Amino acid sequence: MAIALKDYEAVVGAEVIDELRVVAGRVRHRRLQNINSTPVGGGVAEILTRMVPLLRELGIETSWDVIKGDQAFFNVTKAFHNALHGKAEEITEDMLDIYRANTEMNLREMNFSGDVILIHDPQPAGLILRKPEIGRKWLWRCHIDISSPDPTVWNFLKPYIERYDASIFSMPDFAQQLPTPQFMVAPSIDPLSDKNKELEKSYINNVLEKYHLDPERPMITQISRFDRLKDPLGVMAAYRIVKKRYDCQLVLAGGGASDDPEGEAVLREVREKAADDPDIHVLLLPPFSDLEINALVRGSTIVMQKSIKEGFGLTVSEALWKRKPVIGGAVGGIKLQIINGVTGFLVHSPEGAAHRAVQLLADHKLRERMGENGFLHVKQNFLLTRHVKDYMLVMLALEHPDEDVVHLD
Ligand code: UDP
């Protein structure tokens, strides 16, 4: 059954929903068009899948289009992604040409229907070239950590970004020197989606059984695309240290994203390294495995997100919402979600992750306390309703570029 706006009242309270309707009333005359680079896989698609219907229900005509690109283009944009995260990548002039050519192709084929055009991440950023011709309000929504970007890639992208009316970043640490306004909007999870809703115990057990997991033994889980920046090998190294003290299981579950060409190679490497231990479960999940991912997290004792770089890391909020303590790399948006020692632990190495996992496995009261804290932290800060409101407020702010305060009544 489709989820309706009203259903969120039970989670966030009627006032929050009333407030959304009031703000929507001020921006309803504008069509919002989202453009990104993949319909499924990764956090951006995850958010848009749920946000688009909610905005529509609020009366805002909202669309979502996906740019086209071949393998060569996505190899280039994955290198951009890594380089913007600060990872060393060789960026050649040919790669920049591939980006430009693909942008031209999408400029020819894309129908720009929105009054406000919200472009997600670097892959479609070049579409701004259409602005002089058609006008409209253009927003660049950056989901990645660009606090210390590779200068070659940033200097290439910056002239595009500067033409937008404004940019949106996930946290203040990612702010850039730009001549245009910057908004800070943290991402969010949908508490009512299949990924996050409450599940029957029997369903959780069935999923564990399906994947040959033992519900009686502790389970450490990381849900992530098979991406080096998510550090699956680091998680495995941490698990091996913990395993010396606790008879536990490790689940590394993930799928691919059509805009991430590196996934297969990383998965192969992870599988090879895991082959000697039957308690390491490497699960390649098809798209739309949301209920199963939900069950795997709910069946876990500890969730890890040991990223080396991270934009936000929705998986952290997804786990905290399920009252799981999370051990995460002290990077990017993970630092917003894990309050160290309160909702989980921030770590800097496999050894640190192992140390914290041992501490948590030894103390179920600590796990429970952190789980409860995490749930409240997400409820207050990282739910879809807050995110939708923030986007509508950005739309409103764009209409009042010279005002510091916009009155809603
Ligand atoms: N995810 C999924 N299937 C997978 C792996 C991940 O549905 O096999 C989801 C995960 O639950 C989360 C999103 O994809 O909602 C990943 O978002 P995150 O911000 O953690 O990382 P990104 O992939 O965008 O870097």
Side-chain angles (χ1 to χ4, degrees):
M1 211 175 57
I3 304 165
L5 190 57
K6 192 136 186 42
D7 299 329
Y8 292 87
E9 277 187 19
V11 184
V12 294
E15 302 79 20
V16 170
I17 306 303
D18 289 345
E19 199 181 23
L20 286 184
R21 291 190 205 280
V22 170
V23 182
R26 295 295 303 273
V27 291
R28 209 169 266 153
H29 55 294
R30 298 284 179 222
R31 291 166 301 174
L32 176 66
Q33 179 178 19
N34 291 278
I35 302 177
N36 82 324
S37 60
T38 177
V40 61
V44 180
E46 178 83 17
I47 291 169
L48 288 176
T49 302
R50 296 300 317 138
M51 184 178 271
V52 170
L54 210 58
L55 283 163
R56 284 182 184 152
E57 203 188 328
L58 282 163
I60 299 162
E61 205 179 312
T62 308
S63 57
W64 172 12
D65 294 290
V66 177
I67 56 162
K68 292 188 188 140
D70 57 12
Q71 185 74 20
F73 173 69
F74 287 124
N75 285 338
V76 169
T77 56
K78 182 68 202 246
F80 278 17
H81 176 94
N82 289 339
L84 289 171
H85 268 306
K87 187 166 172 266
E89 289 277 345
E90 197 195 345
I91 307 292
T92 62
E93 196 52 44
D94 279 354
M95 292 165 79
L96 304 183
D97 283 342
I98 289 173
Y99 183 91
R100 289 188 192 102
N102 203 82
T103 298
E104 287 301 326
M105 184 264 290
N106 279 296
L107 280 168
R108 282 191 299 276
E109 299 197 2
M110 180 67 68
N111 176 25
F112 294 96
S113 57
D115 301 307
V116 177
I117 300 174
L118 184 51
I119 303 279
H120 297 264
D121 282 339
Q123 300 92 329
L127 296 179
I128 188 68
L129 295 178
R130 181 54 54 82
K131 185 175 184 228
E133 189 186 318
I134 64 170
R136 326 279 177 88
K137 296 287 185 192
W138 291 69
L139 283 165
W140 187 57
R141 200 316 174 206
C142 178
H143 293 269
I144 58 187
D145 173 354
I146 53 164
S147 48
S148 46
D150 170 274
T152 311
V153 175
W154 183 237
N155 289 337
F156 172 72
L157 286 175
K158 203 173 170 202
Y160 294 115
I161 306 311
E162 287 176 346
R163 296 185 206 189
Y164 283 79
D165 292 284
S167 304
I168 304 176
F169 297 100
S170 295
M171 61 191 292
D173 293 18
F174 303 166
Q176 289 297 319
Q177 290 276 347
L178 289 168
T180 46
Q182 299 174 53
F183 296 95
M184 299 300 140
V185 177
S188 65
I189 62 162
D190 181 352
L192 303 182
S193 66
D194 284 350
K195 180 73 65 59
N196 297 309
K197 69 184 185 187
E198 294 283 345
L199 295 176
E200 298 283 341
K201 189 92 188 104
S202 58
Y203 178 78
I204 298 170
N205 284 336
N206 286 345
V207 172
L208 297 188
E209 198 177 319
K210 173 177 170 186
Y211 290 111
H212 311 292
L213 294 160
D214 177 359
E216 303 303 324
R217 287 188 296 147
M219 193 170 128
I220 301 171
T221 299
Q222 175 158 299
I223 308 281
S224 274
R225 287 179 297 103
F226 290 97
D227 180 329
R228 288 184 214 292
L229 293 180
K230 308 287 184 185
D231 200 17
L233 297 179
V235 175
M236 212 185 293
Y239 155 83
R240 288 190 197 278
I241 299 172
V242 178
K243 184 81 178 180
K244 292 184 188 145
R245 300 273 298 275
Y246 284 93
D247 178 21
C248 56
Q249 308 160 86
L250 175 66
V251 177
L252 290 169
S258 58
D259 62 351
D260 178 4
E262 286 180 336
E264 274 178 39
V266 178
L267 174 62
R268 213 173 312 121
E269 203 179 325
V270 169
R271 280 198 166 133
E272 274 166 24
K273 293 246 159 65
D276 64 333
D277 185 341
D279 277 333
I280 303 179
H281 300 258
V282 182
L283 311 179
L284 179 64
L285 301 172
F288 310 113
S289 301
D290 293 7
L291 280 172
E292 290 199 349
I293 290 174
N294 186 343
L296 287 171
V297 173
R298 287 187 190 275
S300 301
T301 321
I302 296 170
V303 170
M304 286 211 188
Q305 188 56 59
K306 221 203 84 43
S307 305
I308 293 164
K309 289 282 177 179
E310 191 59 78
F312 183 69
L314 286 180
T315 49
V316 175
S317 276
E318 288 166 2
L320 294 176
W321 182 247
K322 299 173 184 73
R323 295 181 164 83
K324 300 295 166 185
V326 181
I327 298 172
V331 291
I334 294 177
K335 291 187 290 180
L336 292 177
Q337 301 169 83
I338 297 183
I339 304 170
N340 196 31
V342 179
T343 67
F345 290 114
L346 292 169
V347 297
H348 301 82
S349 64
E351 292 75 17
H355 171 75
R356 292 308 194 180
V358 166
Q359 186 182 352
L360 282 164
L361 289 177
D363 189 344
H364 78 94
K365 286 227 166 65
L366 177 64
R367 296 202 299 273
E368 271 172 30
R369 199 166 62 238
M370 286 192 157
E372 195 55 34
N373 292 341
F375 170 78
L376 292 173
H377 186 46
V378 173
K379 185 171 173 181
Q380 276 162 15
N381 299 293
F382 305 120
L383 293 186
L384 181 62
T385 37
R386 190 272 311 148
H387 199 176
V388 165
K389 185 172 90 176
D390 283 353
Y391 274 0
M392 293 192 298
L393 290 174
V394 171
M395 287 172 75
L396 190 60
L398 282 182
E399 300 206 0
H400 300 264
D402 302 320
E403 293 169 48
D404 289 334
V405 178
V406 181
H407 293 279
L408 287 175
D409 46 11

